[in-house]
């Protein structure tokens, strides 16, 4: 049977953050109930695909999925398990924000088979949380985190964001150390990106108030210090922005970077099936072999282990050297890539300019 990942999108949140450009927004109880009912019907409509697949991971993202009640989440997972064969040891993640769960809800999520939580903290400093437009305080995060532990969740990710307006290098270092002291199994450490169409873009886009944002050199130092600090607490960087204790790398996200097939269900969700990409409700677009090769390289290079030459040859019947030899040699000479016996991977310097390196692999 084919291995398959499921992504389920919940487009609701209590309040949209100032930097967020995801498909999400506030909702009423009736809207959430109607959406869950429709979502369950859509999940069951994939019975034909499910017959040939074995689900190895499920990720419920948003928005803020924890705006749903425990019963609504149970309805969704009943539809999933009625339709798909889910591996017994599947990684099942749900995203949540502090202040949106209680012990009863967490207990209900556990009964659904959810075994991994991803908590959107972003900062341990309430001043920075207010700047971002977050709905919670650090104290509310701590309450949520300890409740999750009390309910038996043993695999928790915490999201942190750097390069927040007014944030210093010392502020970022303190955020990292404070969270690492709590010992979550996984930490995602992302840099703020000012996206068009957001309140942040109106305030900081196109060079506006640039003096309030950390400069490029400070951002680079934040990135370096992230690895240095987290490694002292036992976290290994396995992807450009993700760190995990041994054995706790996010299997679902690794699937994305390694191009494992995944099915996205819900408003705005994306899928990769039979080398075709499509958004929910749209017609699939078959990727050319060249496009598949490009994805293998620029997604795979996000991983610290890099891209396997042997696997590339197995997938495409052509060696990486024949397709990308000139690019690899050029990037290696510039000190941006390491060309090993099997794996091609980014150097530390290459990570600093990863977008440039990955763009060089577009055919």
């Amino acid at each position: 049977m084919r291995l398959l990942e499921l992504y389920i999108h919940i487009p609701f949140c209590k309040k949209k953050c100032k930097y967020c450009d995801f498909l999400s927004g506030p909702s009423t109880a009736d809207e959430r109930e109607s959406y869950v009912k429709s979502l369950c019907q859509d999940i069951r409509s994939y019975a034909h695909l499910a017959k040939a697949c074995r689900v190895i991971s499920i990720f419920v993202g948003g928005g803020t999925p924890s705006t749903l009640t425990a019963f609504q989440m149970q309805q969704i997972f009943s539809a999933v398990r009625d339709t798909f064969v889910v591996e017994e040891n599947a990684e099942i993640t749900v995203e949540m924000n502090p202040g949106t769960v209680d012990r009863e809800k967490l207990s209900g999520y556990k009964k659904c088979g959810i075994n991994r939580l991803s908590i959107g903290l972003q900062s341990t400093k309430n001043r920075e949380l207010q700047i971002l437009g977050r709905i919670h305080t650090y104290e509310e995060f701590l309450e949520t985190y300890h409740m999750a532990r009390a309910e038996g969740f043993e695999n928790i990710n915490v999201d942190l964001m750097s390069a927040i307006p007014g944030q210093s290098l010392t502020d970022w270092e303190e955020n990292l150390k404070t969270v690492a002291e709590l010992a979550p199994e996984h930490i995602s450490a992302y840099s703020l990106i000012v996206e068009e169409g957001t309140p942040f873009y109106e305030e900081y886009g196109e060079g506006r108030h640039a003096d309030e944002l950390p400069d490029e050199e400070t951002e680079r130092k934040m990135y370096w210090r992230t690895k240095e600090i987290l490694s002292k607490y036992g976290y290994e960087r396995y992807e450009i922005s993700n760190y995990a204790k041994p054995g706790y790398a996010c299997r679902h996200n690794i699937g994305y970077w390694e191009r494992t097939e995944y099915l996205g269900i819900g408003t705005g969700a994306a899928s990769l099936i039979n080398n075709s990409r499509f958004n929910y409700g749209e017609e699939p677009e078959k990727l050319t072999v060249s496009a598949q090769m490009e994805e293998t390289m620029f997604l795979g290079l996000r991983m610290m282990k890099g891209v396997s030459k042997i696997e590339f040859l197995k997938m495409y019947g052509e060696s990486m050297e024949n397709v990308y030899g000139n690019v690899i040699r050029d990037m290696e000479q510039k000190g941006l890539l390491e060309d090993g016996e099997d794996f091609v991977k980014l150097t530390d310097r290459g990570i600093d300019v990863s977008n440039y390196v990955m763009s060089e692999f577009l055919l």
Side-chain angles (χ1 to χ4, degrees), residues 271-285:
S271 300
L272 173 65
I273 303 289
N274 288 326
N275 279 312
S276 293
R277 288 198 177 277
F278 55 96
N279 288 327
Y280 189 65
E282 297 179 3
E283 287 298 312
E285 179 184 350

Side-chain angles (χ1 to χ4, degrees), residues 13 25 70 75 87 101 109 118 194 259 261 318 348 357 363:
C13 53
Q75 287 178 300
E87 281 196 344
V101 296
Y109 285 4
S118 182
V194 179
R259 299 187 75 250
E261 288 191 308
E318 194 167 359
D348 286 343
V357 177
L363 295 169

Side-chain angles (χ1 to χ4, degrees), residues 7-11 32-46 60 68 72 75-76 79 264-267 280:
Y7 173 79
I8 299 171
H9 189 70
I10 308 299
R32 293 192 292 275
E33 184 63 32
S34 176
Y35 182 84
V36 169
K37 182 178 179 181
S38 176
L39 188 66
C40 290
Q41 291 174 343
D42 290 343
I43 290 169
R44 290 188 167 95
S45 74
Y46 285 99
V60 185
L68 299 185
Q72 287 169 331
Q75 287 178 300
I76 291 169
I265 307 174
T267 304
Y280 189 65

Side-chain angles (χ1 to χ4, degrees), residues 2-8 49 53-59 80 84-85 90-91 250-265 270-273:
R2 289 156 54 189
L3 304 182
L4 181 70
E5 298 191 328
L6 291 183
Y7 173 79
I8 299 171
L49 174 65
C53 298
R54 199 168 76 246
V55 172
I56 56 174
S57 73
I58 303 170
F59 197 103
V80 167
F84 293 89
V85 175
E91 177 190 84
C250 179
R251 285 149 51 189
H252 186 88
N253 284 343
I254 289 173
Y256 286 154
W257 301 316
E258 294 183 344
R259 299 187 75 250
T260 300
E261 288 191 308
Y262 60 89
L263 175 66
I265 307 174
S271 300
L272 173 65
I273 303 289

Side-chain angles (χ1 to χ4, degrees), residues 238 258 296-297 299-308 343-346:
Y238 68 95
E258 294 183 344
T296 295
M297 297 306 296
L299 290 175
L301 284 172
R302 293 190 62 88
M303 302 284 291
M304 293 302 98
K305 70 178 183 180
V307 185
S308 167
F343 283 88
V344 173
K345 61 183 181 179
L346 292 171

Side-chain angles (χ1 to χ4, degrees), residues 118-157:
S118 182
I119 307 176
L121 170 58
Q122 314 313 342
S123 174
T124 66
K125 301 180 182 298
N126 289 333
R127 175 184 61 83
E128 292 179 351
L129 294 174
Q130 288 177 346
I131 290 170
L132 293 171
R134 301 293 290 174
I135 64 168
H136 60 87
T137 63
Y138 177 59
E139 290 72 25
E140 286 173 313
F141 160 79
L142 284 176
E143 184 180 3
T144 296
Y145 182 84
H146 292 309
M147 274 196 296
R149 289 301 198 201
E151 286 299 323
F153 286 96
E154 298 177 347
N155 190 355
I156 298 178
N157 167 65

Side-chain angles (χ1 to χ4, degrees), residues 73-270:
M73 195 68 77
Q74 288 165 358
Q75 287 178 300
I76 291 169
F77 276 92
S78 289
V80 167
R81 295 182 187 280
D82 287 348
T83 308
F84 293 89
V85 175
V86 180
E87 281 196 344
E88 187 175 345
N89 68 340
E91 177 190 84
I92 304 177
T93 304
V94 64
E95 290 182 332
M96 62 177 54
N97 276 342
T100 61
V101 296
D102 54 24
R103 292 287 294 267
E104 182 182 359
K105 186 180 285 190
L106 287 167
S107 176
Y109 285 4
K110 200 98 168 57
K111 291 173 183 174
C112 293
I114 293 166
N115 53 31
R116 184 175 184 272
L117 302 179
S118 182
I119 307 176
L121 170 58
Q122 314 313 342
S123 174
T124 66
K125 301 180 182 298
N126 289 333
R127 175 184 61 83
E128 292 179 351
L129 294 174
Q130 288 177 346
I131 290 170
L132 293 171
R134 301 293 290 174
I135 64 168
H136 60 87
T137 63
Y138 177 59
E139 290 72 25
E140 286 173 313
F141 160 79
L142 284 176
E143 184 180 3
T144 296
Y145 182 84
H146 292 309
M147 274 196 296
R149 289 301 198 201
E151 286 299 323
F153 286 96
E154 298 177 347
N155 190 355
I156 298 178
N157 167 65
V158 176
D159 287 339
L160 283 175
M161 182 176 288
S162 62
I164 296 169
Q167 186 181 62
S168 68
L169 178 60
T170 299
D171 290 333
W172 176 239
E173 291 172 340
E174 289 172 353
N175 279 336
L176 289 169
K177 291 174 183 177
T178 301
V179 170
E181 290 285 346
L182 293 172
E185 287 67 32
H186 191 286
I187 296 175
S188 294
Y190 297 98
S191 178
L192 169 68
I193 298 175
V194 179
E195 301 281 9
E196 285 192 52
T198 65
F200 259 28
Y201 188 82
E202 296 301 314
E203 191 166 356
Y204 301 106
E206 301 178 358
R208 289 184 287 269
H209 301 290
D211 59 319
E212 296 181 25
L213 295 168
D215 59 32
E216 190 174 322
E217 182 60 24
T218 301
E219 274 204 63
R220 188 174 288 112
K221 287 179 180 177
M222 287 176 171
Y223 194 76
W224 292 341
R225 288 295 286 148
T226 302
K227 180 184 177 183
E228 290 171 3
I229 290 170
L230 293 185
S231 65
K232 291 178 181 177
Y233 286 90
Y235 294 92
E236 178 183 353
R237 181 173 64 184
Y238 68 95
E239 189 268 347
I240 286 177
S241 301
N242 286 281
Y243 300 77
K245 293 286 183 74
Y248 287 97
C250 179
R251 285 149 51 189
H252 186 88
N253 284 343
I254 289 173
Y256 286 154
W257 301 316
E258 294 183 344
R259 299 187 75 250
T260 300
E261 288 191 308
Y262 60 89
L263 175 66
I265 307 174
T267 304

